[in-house]
Amino acid sequence: MPIPRAALIITPAEMSAIDRDAALSGIDSFRLMTSAGTAVAAAALRLHPGALRFAVLCGPGNNGGDGYVAAAVLDESGVAVRVFSLGEPGQLKGDAARAYQSWAGTTAPLAQYTPQPGDIVIDALFGAGLARPVTPAVALAMQAVTQAGLPVIAVDLPSGLDGRTGQVLGESFQASHTVTFMARKPGHLLLPGRTLCGRLEVFDIGIPERILRSQTSWLCENGPHVWAGQAHALDPSAHKFKRGHLAIFSGGPLATGAARLSAAAGLKAGAGLVTLASTSAALNANAAHLTAVMLKEIDDAGALLRWLADKRVSAFVLGPGFGDVEKARQYALMLSDRALVLDADGITAFKDDPAPLFAAFAGGEPRLVMTPHEGEFARLFADIDADQTLSKVDRAIAAAKRSHAVIVYKGADTVIASPDGRAVINTNAPPWLATAGSGDTLAGIIGAHLVQGMPAFEAAAAGVWRHGRAGSKAGEGLTAEDLAAAIEPLPAIG
């Protein structure tokens, strides 16, 4: 199923190629710029009809060209407009030069801009293509606007943000509203960029769909379209084994809660059977708390090997509260023919030498899902993490390719990446999901999807999305115990 237009995410490099292809196809590029600038002016008038003055800050490239068009449209509407330029406008080239010529008013240097009460700032300095830190002079202007508390309408992306990574390049505007064109960029969704864009508006400036799609990779916002056709309604004749048997390893007698959280989530998320694999020392602690979740005594590799003769146990979760990293390494390698969600201590177990893990799961369709937070990711993929030129999406994809695993790179902007280069950015998680045990619950949901036959990438993407929905439903102040009860049915599309 094609990615829905509303879910598309386009990198700045892809957007440049789309613009180039549009021009080569015969589309008037200045008409596209006029459409963009007019959309910005329309948003400004719609959002701030009582503005005393619109201060349009124009940069030295095409983003500045959008700003000059917006200024001309605003001026024609009869409102007060003042334009401040970065660099010499007379040196602009191409469409940006034509846009500057369309502006009939005066232009002052950016350094002369002094924020005034009642100003609405239109930020048309750089947009999504910025790749180096802003100059001190630009940073001072940004700081002055921020200190004055003025509303900022950003053209494409708040200036100072890297459109590919979402990182601040020295200094950035805090926009109240952002108007971008054709599709969102990674910087709109990755942190901290997401928090700096304000309300985001995507405007179609008229580039044909065929040109847009020809340059896009498989990067999109996470949502039900990702697992279309993989989530099916229950067969009336289904029995518990047909719905899948999920196994989750428990920690020691004083660390059993994390695995039980994972097990409860797995059962609620749709697994037909969930079994907690527990050492004999932890059996009593677990038995006192379990009802629908079953209990299996697994003390060592021999016991696990005997259990693995039952092929109906098709997916495992290893890591939540597990504690014993040596045993975690041994168990994970024994599970290489099954689907495995490796979390927490399961990931940490391989921090010194992940190669055996990657080799064990190297063949066939991906069946390993790893769910690292930032610290765990850095320990397992130190060189990838150290490359500051990479975005979070880039790092997740590189890690997935190296490990032949689906990577759930957790955070408020969780990225899910597949070894084949597909990636999604999740946006539906509320901030109160950052609570102890939340990740354990997520691992159980993903495990439930795996035992129901979903491919690893789709299982992980659906799990992260469903986890976010459960957090929103449970509400602020939730604890991890509340999450399982808040898990909703998985939307089935296709």
Side-chain angles (χ1 to χ4, degrees), residues 260-399:
R260 287 199 303 273
L261 287 170
S262 190
L267 199 61
K268 185 64 185 292
L273 289 163
V274 179
T275 296
L276 207 61
S278 171
T279 63
S280 55
L283 282 174
N284 288 338
N286 280 316
H289 292 88
L290 298 178
T291 49
V293 174
M294 300 186 298
L295 195 58
K296 178 78 172 179
E297 184 176 349
I298 300 290
D299 271 313
D300 52 34
L304 176 58
L305 185 62
R306 290 188 292 273
W307 193 26
L308 290 176
D310 185 352
K311 300 299 183 182
R312 295 176 300 180
V313 189
S314 58
F316 290 78
V317 174
L318 173 59
F322 192 70
D324 189 334
V325 293
E326 289 303 319
K327 188 176 284 186
R329 284 178 65 89
Q330 186 180 29
Y331 283 8
L333 297 177
M334 291 176 66
L335 297 170
S336 61
D337 67 334
R338 310 295 167 96
L340 173 62
V341 181
L342 203 61
D343 182 46
D345 293 334
I347 295 172
T348 300
F350 290 93
K351 66 182 178 66
D352 294 326
D353 184 15
L357 175 70
F358 300 165
F361 286 87
E365 290 297 314
R367 56 196 180 279
L368 174 63
V369 177
M370 292 191 285
T371 59
H373 55 56
E374 286 187 357
E376 292 163 345
F377 186 95
R379 288 192 287 272
L380 204 60
F381 303 101
D383 59 325
I384 296 173
D385 182 71
D387 188 345
Q388 296 304 304
T389 67
L390 300 177
S391 70
K392 187 171 184 177
V393 172
D394 298 330
R395 292 197 296 273
I397 292 174

Side-chain angles (χ1 to χ4, degrees), residues 397-415:
I397 292 174
K401 290 181 176 179
R402 175 180 297 178
S403 61
H404 194 64
V406 171
I407 300 296
V408 178
Y409 193 174
K410 293 189 295 193
D413 54 353
T414 293
V415 174

